[in-house]
Amino acid sequence: MNILAIESSCDETAAAVIQDGRVILSSVINSQVEEHKQYGGVVPEIASRRHAENICAVVQQALDDAGETFQSIDAVAVTYAPGLIGALLVGVNYAKGVALAAGKPLIPVHHIRGHIAANYLTHPDLKPPFLCLVASGGHSHIIKVNDYTKFEIIGRTRDDAAGEAFDKAARVLGFCYPGGIYIDKAAQQGERGHYKLPKPKVNGSEFDFSFSGLKTAIINIAHHAEQKGESLEINNLAADFQGTVADILTDHLMRAAEYTHSNKIVVAGGVSANSGLRSALETACREKGYELYLPKLSLCGDNAAMIGSQAYYEYLAGKRADLSLNGVASMPVDEAFCE
Ligand code: KG4
Ligand code: ZN
């Protein structure tokens, strides 16, 4: 079954054709990041306008690359939640138009479920159940994936998402948006142990995260250095920040694995590209004897291939949308569509 998938929840206009949830026949991503960079973050109004301008060409390219047409595909899938509402609506309305004109089933896909499914494209043998850490720009969750469409939230962030923490710290260190990748590069040139950073705990849940204290600590370190006329050791501070975030995510995930009796660990979302997090998880999983699944670097960030993968399993579970499908800005990953 070949599914045309569309993703427009943030600042990437993306389309892909995916076979049986596991094979990428094509994947096209048009990123707006260069334009948003000058504002220090994504400007929702600009994102929506660029999606509207680009979506037709991006989808046509994905069809052409796969040797498909609107008539030959079996279904159309679209990210309908969560995300920037104006951005989501461009993809949702475009997908509704295709479904109506070509007479194809319309499959609604939750963006975070898509990030998790990036691992099905990377690891052909991976099947639920497993425990998944999702760390992206908007979300940080520990999720028990009981089946392809059955999710249970074990832990979540109480304030900033991990990617947001990277981006805010990056701004203090003088890097442009989105700063996660620049912190990663700087950290690889630095060493840990030069700056003391807190590992904030959350009252009432050993699996929930809190990253806002870390952000404040970085701001304070920068202010103190400025007041004393000292320069920041950027690479070392990046190494300490990245190492601390990786330690927090890894510690929580390992505790959640023990609690849920999971020995299969999966990671998803933009921050899963982080070299410090990947190596911390590799070490921890090796020590515990857990199997670790990381997405291919090209599938960590937003893309439509992951949406097409998850769509296949939503389709098998009977999920279909009609032409009243709307975009939803905020929706928990465990909330089932139409149920
Ligand atoms: O999953 P994603 O592409 O978009 C959302 O759904 O939010 O995640 C984007 C986030 C940004 O905060 C970005 O800085 C972060 O992922 N990111 C990284 C790295 N690459 C992307 N953070 C740390 N290290 C990286 N190498
Ligand atoms: Zn995302």
Side-chain angles (χ1 to χ4, degrees):
M1 176 180 192
N2 291 350
I3 297 178
L4 168 67
I6 294 166
E7 154 67 40
S8 70
S9 65
C10 191
D11 59 345
E12 264 90 29
T13 318
V17 179
I18 302 301
Q19 186 181 54
D20 297 336
R22 296 280 178 165
V23 181
I24 302 175
L25 299 182
S26 67
S27 177
V28 178
I29 304 171
N30 180 303
S31 176
Q32 309 168 4
V33 72
E34 286 306 318
E35 186 169 6
H36 295 290
K37 231 175 213 176
Q38 58 187 308
Y39 304 104
V42 178
V43 182
E45 176 72 18
I46 294 176
S48 313
R49 287 168 188 247
R50 297 297 166 259
H51 287 312
E53 285 163 9
N54 295 329
I55 196 160
C56 290
V58 167
V59 170
Q60 193 57 56
Q61 187 67 51
L63 288 170
D64 291 349
D65 289 355
E68 295 279 346
T69 65
F70 287 124
Q71 295 312 320
S72 68
I73 52 154
D74 298 301
V76 55
V78 66
T79 305
Y80 75 109
L84 301 171
I85 192 63
L88 285 167
L89 286 174
V90 176
V92 166
N93 279 306
Y94 186 91
K96 289 203 282 190
V98 173
L100 177 65
K104 306 291 175 183
L106 178 62
I107 311 166
V109 179
H110 189 286
H111 183 77
I112 298 302
R113 294 186 184 197
H115 271 300
I116 297 170
N119 285 283
Y120 303 140
L121 296 168
T122 308
H123 309 284
D125 55 333
L126 176 65
K127 292 187 177 80
F130 53 77
L131 187 69
C132 185
L133 168 70
V134 179
S136 73
H139 300 84
S140 292
H141 282 112
I142 295 175
I143 299 168
K144 182 86 199 300
V145 181
N146 292 320
D147 205 341
Y148 289 102
T149 59
K150 300 266 178 287
F151 302 83
E152 200 182 323
I153 297 176
I154 307 294
R156 71 186 83 217
T157 184
R158 295 289 181 94
D159 38 56
D160 294 346
E164 204 177 345
F166 267 100
D167 294 342
K168 287 177 176 171
R171 190 190 282 233
V172 178
L173 300 190
F175 298 120
C176 63
Y177 175 86
I181 182 130
Y182 301 107
I183 295 226
D184 197 345
K185 284 183 181 153
Q188 290 177 45
Q189 309 295 317
E191 59 171 15
R192 289 185 73 176
H194 291 251
Y195 291 95
K196 203 166 160 39
L197 293 170
K199 285 188 184 164
K201 293 240 163 18
V202 172
N203 280 342
S205 169
E206 55 174 329
F207 307 124
D208 283 0
F209 309 105
S210 167
F211 290 111
S212 67
L214 257 182
K215 175 190 65 190
T216 311
I218 289 264
I219 291 172
N220 288 341
I221 287 169
H223 279 169
H224 286 147
E226 201 182 335
Q227 278 168 356
K228 288 191 200 156
E230 293 169 2
S231 58
L232 279 178
E233 299 165 40
I234 300 288
N235 292 346
N236 291 338
L237 185 49
D240 273 319
F241 176 80
Q242 175 165 299
T244 304
V245 174
D247 285 351
I248 295 169
L249 292 171
T250 304
D251 289 353
H252 284 56
L253 189 58
M254 292 302 114
R255 259 185 279 128
E258 212 157 291
Y259 172 74
T260 56
H261 306 291
S262 308
N263 56 14
K264 223 193 257 185
I265 308 294
V266 174
V267 190
V271 181
S272 61
N274 185 263
S275 63
L277 177 62
R278 289 172 94 97
S279 67
L281 288 168
E282 272 158 10
T283 306
C285 287
R286 201 180 314 117
E287 276 169 11
K288 299 264 184 194
Y290 298 156
E291 283 177 70
L292 175 65
Y293 296 85
L294 296 163
K296 237 190 238 172
L297 286 179
S298 59
L299 293 171
C300 290
D302 287 348
N303 64 84
M306 66 188 197
I307 302 302
S309 173
Q310 181 61 23
Y312 177 69
Y313 296 103
E314 299 287 345
Y315 182 87
L316 294 183
K319 303 288 164 63
R320 308 281 187 279
D322 62 21
L323 295 180
S324 67
L325 181 67
N326 204 348
V328 184
S330 162
M331 177 181 283
V333 71
D334 52 352
E335 198 165 295
F337 179 80
C338 295
E339 280 181 5

mmCIF file of all heavy atoms in Angstrom, residues 10-14 29-44 46-48 50-51 54 84 167 175-182 185 301-302:
data_model
loop_
_atom_site.group_PDB
_atom_site.id
_atom_site.type_symbol
_atom_site.label_atom_id
_atom_site.label_comp_id
_atom_site.label_asym_id
_atom_site.label_seq_id
_atom_site.Cartn_x
_atom_site.Cartn_y
_atom_site.Cartn_z
ATOM 1 N N CYS A 10 5.073 22.791 11.420
ATOM 2 C CA CYS A 10 5.930 23.866 11.944
ATOM 3 C C CYS A 10 6.580 24.609 10.779
ATOM 4 O O CYS A 10 5.878 25.273 10.026
ATOM 5 C CB CYS A 10 6.952 23.278 12.911
ATOM 6 S SG CYS A 10 7.830 24.541 13.844
ATOM 7 N N ASP A 11 7.877 24.496 10.594
ATOM 8 C CA ASP A 11 8.528 25.285 9.542
ATOM 9 C C ASP A 11 9.136 24.441 8.432
ATOM 10 O O ASP A 11 10.020 24.891 7.723
ATOM 11 C CB ASP A 11 9.571 26.243 10.141
ATOM 12 C CG ASP A 11 10.656 25.518 10.912
ATOM 13 O OD1 ASP A 11 10.474 24.331 11.233
ATOM 14 O OD2 ASP A 11 11.688 26.137 11.202
ATOM 15 N N GLU A 12 8.673 23.182 8.301
ATOM 16 C CA GLU A 12 9.082 22.370 7.166
ATOM 17 C C GLU A 12 7.840 21.988 6.364
ATOM 18 O O GLU A 12 6.895 21.433 6.939
ATOM 19 C CB GLU A 12 9.770 21.070 7.625
ATOM 20 C CG GLU A 12 11.279 21.144 7.645
ATOM 21 C CD GLU A 12 11.837 21.625 8.969
ATOM 22 O OE1 GLU A 12 11.163 21.385 9.991
ATOM 23 O OE2 GLU A 12 12.908 22.260 8.980
ATOM 24 N N THR A 13 7.850 22.297 5.052
ATOM 25 C CA THR A 13 6.784 21.793 4.192
ATOM 26 C C THR A 13 7.321 20.488 3.615
ATOM 27 O O THR A 13 8.351 20.504 2.935
ATOM 28 C CB THR A 13 6.493 22.751 3.019
ATOM 29 O OG1 THR A 13 6.495 24.093 3.487
ATOM 30 C CG2 THR A 13 5.157 22.432 2.359
ATOM 31 N N ALA A 14 6.659 19.364 3.919
ATOM 32 C CA ALA A 14 7.232 18.083 3.512
ATOM 33 C C ALA A 14 6.170 17.155 2.946
ATOM 34 O O ALA A 14 4.999 17.188 3.350
ATOM 35 C CB ALA A 14 7.920 17.418 4.701
ATOM 36 N N ILE A 29 11.649 17.605 1.535
ATOM 37 C CA ILE A 29 11.497 18.541 2.656
ATOM 38 C C ILE A 29 11.908 19.927 2.184
ATOM 39 O O ILE A 29 13.034 20.113 1.725
ATOM 40 C CB ILE A 29 12.385 18.144 3.866
ATOM 41 C CG1 ILE A 29 12.093 16.713 4.319
ATOM 42 C CG2 ILE A 29 12.186 19.133 5.021
ATOM 43 C CD1 ILE A 29 13.065 16.189 5.360
ATOM 44 N N ASN A 30 10.990 20.883 2.313
ATOM 45 C CA ASN A 30 11.334 22.274 2.028
ATOM 46 C C ASN A 30 11.382 23.003 3.372
ATOM 47 O O ASN A 30 10.358 23.218 4.000
ATOM 48 C CB ASN A 30 10.274 22.877 1.095
ATOM 49 C CG ASN A 30 10.578 24.319 0.757
ATOM 50 O OD1 ASN A 30 10.718 25.158 1.647
ATOM 51 N ND2 ASN A 30 10.693 24.617 -0.520
ATOM 52 N N SER A 31 12.613 23.328 3.810
ATOM 53 C CA SER A 31 12.758 23.955 5.125
ATOM 54 C C SER A 31 12.751 25.476 5.006
ATOM 55 O O SER A 31 13.366 26.043 4.120
ATOM 56 C CB SER A 31 14.067 23.502 5.772
ATOM 57 O OG SER A 31 14.229 24.187 6.997
ATOM 58 N N GLN A 32 12.055 26.115 5.962
ATOM 59 C CA GLN A 32 11.990 27.579 5.971
ATOM 60 C C GLN A 32 12.980 28.167 6.970
ATOM 61 O O GLN A 32 12.926 29.357 7.277
ATOM 62 C CB GLN A 32 10.590 28.028 6.373
ATOM 63 C CG GLN A 32 9.462 27.405 5.608
ATOM 64 C CD GLN A 32 8.117 27.687 6.285
ATOM 65 O OE1 GLN A 32 8.030 28.409 7.278
ATOM 66 N NE2 GLN A 32 7.071 27.112 5.740
ATOM 67 N N VAL A 33 13.856 27.309 7.513
ATOM 68 C CA VAL A 33 14.641 27.727 8.678
ATOM 69 C C VAL A 33 15.473 28.988 8.422
ATOM 70 O O VAL A 33 15.580 29.852 9.302
ATOM 71 C CB VAL A 33 15.498 26.554 9.213
ATOM 72 C CG1 VAL A 33 16.660 26.220 8.319
ATOM 73 C CG2 VAL A 33 15.978 26.832 10.621
ATOM 74 N N GLU A 34 16.009 29.134 7.210
ATOM 75 C CA GLU A 34 16.840 30.317 6.929
ATOM 76 C C GLU A 34 16.045 31.612 7.100
ATOM 77 O O GLU A 34 16.571 32.614 7.568
ATOM 78 C CB GLU A 34 17.424 30.238 5.508
ATOM 79 C CG GLU A 34 18.547 29.222 5.360
ATOM 80 C CD GLU A 34 19.677 29.421 6.374
ATOM 81 O OE1 GLU A 34 20.058 30.580 6.619
ATOM 82 O OE2 GLU A 34 20.165 28.411 6.930
ATOM 83 N N GLU A 35 14.769 31.573 6.717
ATOM 84 C CA GLU A 35 13.953 32.790 6.848
ATOM 85 C C GLU A 35 13.612 33.085 8.305
ATOM 86 O O GLU A 35 13.646 34.223 8.758
ATOM 87 C CB GLU A 35 12.670 32.653 6.008
ATOM 88 C CG GLU A 35 11.874 33.944 6.005
ATOM 89 C CD GLU A 35 10.746 33.962 4.989
ATOM 90 O OE1 GLU A 35 10.483 32.925 4.338
ATOM 91 O OE2 GLU A 35 10.116 35.030 4.865
ATOM 92 N N HIS A 36 13.280 32.033 9.076
ATOM 93 C CA HIS A 36 12.890 32.244 10.477
ATOM 94 C C HIS A 36 14.078 32.619 11.358
ATOM 95 O O HIS A 36 13.902 33.289 12.378
ATOM 96 C CB HIS A 36 12.200 30.995 11.031
ATOM 97 C CG HIS A 36 10.891 30.697 10.362
ATOM 98 N ND1 HIS A 36 9.772 31.487 10.544
ATOM 99 C CD2 HIS A 36 10.521 29.725 9.499
ATOM 100 C CE1 HIS A 36 8.768 30.994 9.825
ATOM 101 N NE2 HIS A 36 9.199 29.926 9.181
ATOM 102 N N LYS A 37 15.280 32.181 10.951
ATOM 103 C CA LYS A 37 16.509 32.447 11.703
ATOM 104 C C LYS A 37 16.653 33.927 12.079
ATOM 105 O O LYS A 37 17.027 34.267 13.189
ATOM 106 C CB LYS A 37 17.700 32.075 10.811
ATOM 107 C CG LYS A 37 18.692 31.172 11.442
ATOM 108 C CD LYS A 37 19.751 30.778 10.427
ATOM 109 C CE LYS A 37 20.214 29.364 10.732
ATOM 110 N NZ LYS A 37 21.159 28.862 9.752
ATOM 111 N N GLN A 38 16.348 34.805 11.114
ATOM 112 C CA GLN A 38 16.569 36.238 11.354
ATOM 113 C C GLN A 38 15.660 36.783 12.459
ATOM 114 O O GLN A 38 15.922 37.855 13.005
ATOM 115 C CB GLN A 38 16.373 37.032 10.064
ATOM 116 C CG GLN A 38 15.003 36.853 9.442
ATOM 117 C CD GLN A 38 14.894 37.519 8.091
ATOM 118 O OE1 GLN A 38 15.201 38.701 7.954
ATOM 119 N NE2 GLN A 38 14.473 36.766 7.088
ATOM 120 N N TYR A 39 14.590 36.047 12.814
ATOM 121 C CA TYR A 39 13.688 36.492 13.890
ATOM 122 C C TYR A 39 13.989 35.756 15.203
ATOM 123 O O TYR A 39 13.302 35.965 16.202
ATOM 124 C CB TYR A 39 12.229 36.265 13.501
ATOM 125 C CG TYR A 39 11.864 36.946 12.195
ATOM 126 C CD1 TYR A 39 11.727 36.215 11.022
ATOM 127 C CD2 TYR A 39 11.684 38.341 12.148
ATOM 128 C CE1 TYR A 39 11.415 36.833 9.822
ATOM 129 C CE2 TYR A 39 11.382 38.962 10.951
ATOM 130 C CZ TYR A 39 11.246 38.206 9.788
ATOM 131 O OH TYR A 39 10.950 38.835 8.609
ATOM 132 N N GLY A 40 14.917 34.821 15.186
ATOM 133 C CA GLY A 40 15.285 34.091 16.405
ATOM 134 C C GLY A 40 14.313 32.983 16.762
ATOM 135 O O GLY A 40 14.358 32.430 17.866
ATOM 136 N N GLY A 41 13.412 32.640 15.863
ATOM 137 C CA GLY A 41 12.445 31.569 16.121
ATOM 138 C C GLY A 41 11.430 31.539 14.999
ATOM 139 O O GLY A 41 11.461 32.409 14.114
ATOM 140 N N VAL A 42 10.524 30.554 15.051
ATOM 141 C CA VAL A 42 9.541 30.422 13.968
ATOM 142 C C VAL A 42 8.449 31.489 14.118
ATOM 143 O O VAL A 42 7.855 31.626 15.193
ATOM 144 C CB VAL A 42 8.903 29.016 13.978
ATOM 145 C CG1 VAL A 42 7.853 28.896 12.883
ATOM 146 C CG2 VAL A 42 9.981 27.953 13.790
ATOM 147 N N VAL A 43 8.204 32.241 13.052
ATOM 148 C CA VAL A 43 7.115 33.225 13.049
ATOM 149 C C VAL A 43 5.901 32.526 12.414
ATOM 150 O O VAL A 43 5.914 32.232 11.212
ATOM 151 C CB VAL A 43 7.496 34.489 12.236
ATOM 152 C CG1 VAL A 43 6.372 35.514 12.286
ATOM 153 C CG2 VAL A 43 8.799 35.082 12.761
ATOM 154 N N PRO A 44 4.851 32.235 13.203
ATOM 155 C CA PRO A 44 3.751 31.397 12.707
ATOM 156 C C PRO A 44 3.112 31.910 11.420
ATOM 157 O O PRO A 44 2.848 31.127 10.506
ATOM 158 C CB PRO A 44 2.751 31.421 13.871
ATOM 159 C CG PRO A 44 3.590 31.663 15.080
ATOM 160 C CD PRO A 44 4.692 32.577 14.636
ATOM 161 N N ILE A 46 4.390 33.734 9.017
ATOM 162 C CA ILE A 46 5.279 33.504 7.868
ATOM 163 C C ILE A 46 5.276 32.017 7.504
ATOM 164 O O ILE A 46 5.224 31.650 6.320
ATOM 165 C CB ILE A 46 6.721 33.993 8.177
ATOM 166 C CG1 ILE A 46 6.729 35.513 8.340
ATOM 167 C CG2 ILE A 46 7.698 33.554 7.084
ATOM 168 C CD1 ILE A 46 8.074 36.097 8.743
ATOM 169 N N ALA A 47 5.300 31.153 8.520
ATOM 170 C CA ALA A 47 5.310 29.705 8.263
ATOM 171 C C ALA A 47 4.092 29.309 7.430
ATOM 172 O O ALA A 47 4.218 28.610 6.418
ATOM 173 C CB ALA A 47 5.335 28.932 9.579
ATOM 174 N N SER A 48 2.901 29.780 7.820
ATOM 175 C CA SER A 48 1.671 29.424 7.093
ATOM 176 C C SER A 48 1.744 29.890 5.643
ATOM 177 O O SER A 48 1.392 29.157 4.719
ATOM 178 C CB SER A 48 0.441 30.076 7.727
ATOM 179 O OG SER A 48 0.451 29.893 9.107
ATOM 180 N N ARG A 50 4.390 30.498 3.767
ATOM 181 C CA ARG A 50 5.359 29.715 2.980
ATOM 182 C C ARG A 50 4.806 28.319 2.667
ATOM 183 O O ARG A 50 5.008 27.803 1.567
ATOM 184 C CB ARG A 50 6.700 29.596 3.711
ATOM 185 C CG ARG A 50 7.413 30.911 3.934
ATOM 186 C CD ARG A 50 7.810 31.627 2.638
ATOM 187 N NE ARG A 50 8.175 33.006 2.942
ATOM 188 C CZ ARG A 50 7.388 34.071 2.753
ATOM 189 N NH1 ARG A 50 6.197 33.938 2.186
ATOM 190 N NH2 ARG A 50 7.781 35.280 3.107
ATOM 191 N N HIS A 51 4.114 27.693 3.644
ATOM 192 C CA HIS A 51 3.507 26.382 3.355
ATOM 193 C C HIS A 51 2.546 26.512 2.169
ATOM 194 O O HIS A 51 2.549 25.685 1.256
ATOM 195 C CB HIS A 51 2.722 25.859 4.562
ATOM 196 C CG HIS A 51 3.580 25.391 5.699
ATOM 197 N ND1 HIS A 51 4.653 24.552 5.533
ATOM 198 C CD2 HIS A 51 3.519 25.627 7.034
ATOM 199 C CE1 HIS A 51 5.212 24.304 6.710
ATOM 200 N NE2 HIS A 51 4.548 24.942 7.634
ATOM 201 N N ASN A 54 4.426 26.760 -1.058
ATOM 202 C CA ASN A 54 5.313 25.646 -1.460
ATOM 203 C C ASN A 54 4.641 24.291 -1.589
ATOM 204 O O ASN A 54 5.200 23.381 -2.208
ATOM 205 C CB ASN A 54 6.451 25.509 -0.421
ATOM 206 C CG ASN A 54 7.353 26.730 -0.425
ATOM 207 O OD1 ASN A 54 7.533 27.368 -1.452
ATOM 208 N ND2 ASN A 54 7.888 27.070 0.733
ATOM 209 N N LEU A 84 1.630 24.424 14.962
ATOM 210 C CA LEU A 84 1.136 25.791 14.766
ATOM 211 C C LEU A 84 -0.153 25.677 13.958
ATOM 212 O O LEU A 84 -0.153 25.062 12.882
ATOM 213 C CB LEU A 84 2.162 26.618 13.992
ATOM 214 C CG LEU A 84 3.544 26.729 14.645
ATOM 215 C CD1 LEU A 84 4.533 27.383 13.676
ATOM 216 C CD2 LEU A 84 3.447 27.525 15.936
ATOM 217 N N ASP A 167 17.668 25.300 22.457
ATOM 218 C CA ASP A 167 17.576 26.530 21.661
ATOM 219 C C ASP A 167 17.762 27.774 22.528
ATOM 220 O O ASP A 167 18.392 28.749 22.111
ATOM 221 C CB ASP A 167 16.225 26.583 20.918
ATOM 222 C CG ASP A 167 16.126 25.487 19.866
ATOM 223 O OD1 ASP A 167 17.174 24.933 19.485
ATOM 224 O OD2 ASP A 167 14.993 25.156 19.457
ATOM 225 N N PHE A 175 24.519 31.595 19.637
ATOM 226 C CA PHE A 175 24.245 30.848 18.402
ATOM 227 C C PHE A 175 22.871 31.225 17.862
ATOM 228 O O PHE A 175 21.981 31.616 18.609
ATOM 229 C CB PHE A 175 24.274 29.341 18.656
ATOM 230 C CG PHE A 175 25.615 28.833 19.125
ATOM 231 C CD1 PHE A 175 25.740 28.211 20.355
ATOM 232 C CD2 PHE A 175 26.743 28.980 18.327
ATOM 233 C CE1 PHE A 175 26.971 27.735 20.788
ATOM 234 C CE2 PHE A 175 27.976 28.506 18.745
ATOM 235 C CZ PHE A 175 28.092 27.883 19.983
ATOM 236 N N CYS A 176 22.700 31.050 16.556
ATOM 237 C CA CYS A 176 21.407 31.409 15.982
ATOM 238 C C CYS A 176 20.414 30.244 16.075
ATOM 239 O O CYS A 176 20.776 29.118 16.430
ATOM 240 C CB CYS A 176 21.560 31.907 14.550
ATOM 241 S SG CYS A 176 22.194 30.679 13.449
ATOM 242 N N TYR A 177 19.156 30.537 15.765
ATOM 243 C CA TYR A 177 18.055 29.561 15.857
ATOM 244 C C TYR A 177 18.078 28.635 14.644
ATOM 245 O O TYR A 177 18.319 29.124 13.543
ATOM 246 C CB TYR A 177 16.721 30.303 15.932
ATOM 247 C CG TYR A 177 15.547 29.379 15.911
ATOM 248 C CD1 TYR A 177 15.066 28.812 17.086
ATOM 249 C CD2 TYR A 177 14.956 29.011 14.696
ATOM 250 C CE1 TYR A 177 14.018 27.923 17.055
ATOM 251 C CE2 TYR A 177 13.915 28.113 14.662
ATOM 252 C CZ TYR A 177 13.443 27.584 15.839
ATOM 253 O OH TYR A 177 12.415 26.695 15.810
ATOM 254 N N PRO A 178 17.766 27.358 14.778
ATOM 255 C CA PRO A 178 17.587 26.585 16.014
ATOM 256 C C PRO A 178 18.949 26.085 16.498
ATOM 257 O O PRO A 178 19.701 25.475 15.741
ATOM 258 C CB PRO A 178 16.690 25.425 15.578
ATOM 259 C CG PRO A 178 16.943 25.264 14.095
ATOM 260 C CD PRO A 178 17.492 26.563 13.574
ATOM 261 N N GLY A 179 19.251 26.363 17.750
ATOM 262 C CA GLY A 179 20.629 26.269 18.230
ATOM 263 C C GLY A 179 21.116 24.900 18.660
ATOM 264 O O GLY A 179 22.304 24.745 18.959
ATOM 265 N N GLY A 180 20.233 23.899 18.727
ATOM 266 C CA GLY A 180 20.634 22.575 19.211
ATOM 267 C C GLY A 180 21.869 22.045 18.502
ATOM 268 O O GLY A 180 22.830 21.597 19.136
ATOM 269 N N ILE A 181 21.865 22.153 17.200
ATOM 270 C CA ILE A 181 22.974 21.603 16.412
ATOM 271 C C ILE A 181 24.283 22.353 16.675
ATOM 272 O O ILE A 181 25.361 21.757 16.691
ATOM 273 C CB ILE A 181 22.627 21.575 14.907
ATOM 274 C CG1 ILE A 181 23.763 20.965 14.108
ATOM 275 C CG2 ILE A 181 22.304 22.937 14.338
ATOM 276 C CD1 ILE A 181 23.299 19.903 13.170
ATOM 277 N N TYR A 182 24.190 23.662 16.941
ATOM 278 C CA TYR A 182 25.412 24.448 17.204
ATOM 279 C C TYR A 182 25.987 24.096 18.577
ATOM 280 O O TYR A 182 27.202 24.051 18.757
ATOM 281 C CB TYR A 182 25.123 25.952 17.107
ATOM 282 C CG TYR A 182 24.600 26.337 15.743
ATOM 283 C CD1 TYR A 182 23.261 26.667 15.553
ATOM 284 C CD2 TYR A 182 25.442 26.320 14.632
ATOM 285 C CE1 TYR A 182 22.770 26.982 14.291
ATOM 286 C CE2 TYR A 182 24.965 26.634 13.363
ATOM 287 C CZ TYR A 182 23.626 26.965 13.207
ATOM 288 O OH TYR A 182 23.153 27.257 11.959
ATOM 289 N N LYS A 185 27.805 20.845 18.108
ATOM 290 C CA LYS A 185 29.129 21.006 17.472
ATOM 291 C C LYS A 185 30.136 21.599 18.450
ATOM 292 O O LYS A 185 31.282 21.142 18.530
ATOM 293 C CB LYS A 185 29.016 21.917 16.245
ATOM 294 C CG LYS A 185 28.399 21.192 15.058
ATOM 295 C CD LYS A 185 28.359 22.094 13.834
ATOM 296 C CE LYS A 185 27.719 21.370 12.660
ATOM 297 N NZ LYS A 185 27.085 22.280 11.721
ATOM 298 N N GLY A 301 14.660 15.042 12.459
ATOM 299 C CA GLY A 301 13.885 16.285 12.381
ATOM 300 C C GLY A 301 12.561 16.060 11.668
ATOM 301 O O GLY A 301 12.217 14.923 11.298
ATOM 302 N N ASP A 302 11.809 17.146 11.474
ATOM 303 C CA ASP A 302 10.487 17.007 10.856
ATOM 304 C C ASP A 302 10.596 16.573 9.394
ATOM 305 O O ASP A 302 11.392 17.110 8.626
ATOM 306 C CB ASP A 302 9.733 18.341 10.949
ATOM 307 C CG ASP A 302 9.280 18.604 12.372
ATOM 308 O OD1 ASP A 302 9.343 17.678 13.205
ATOM 309 O OD2 ASP A 302 8.860 19.745 12.650
#
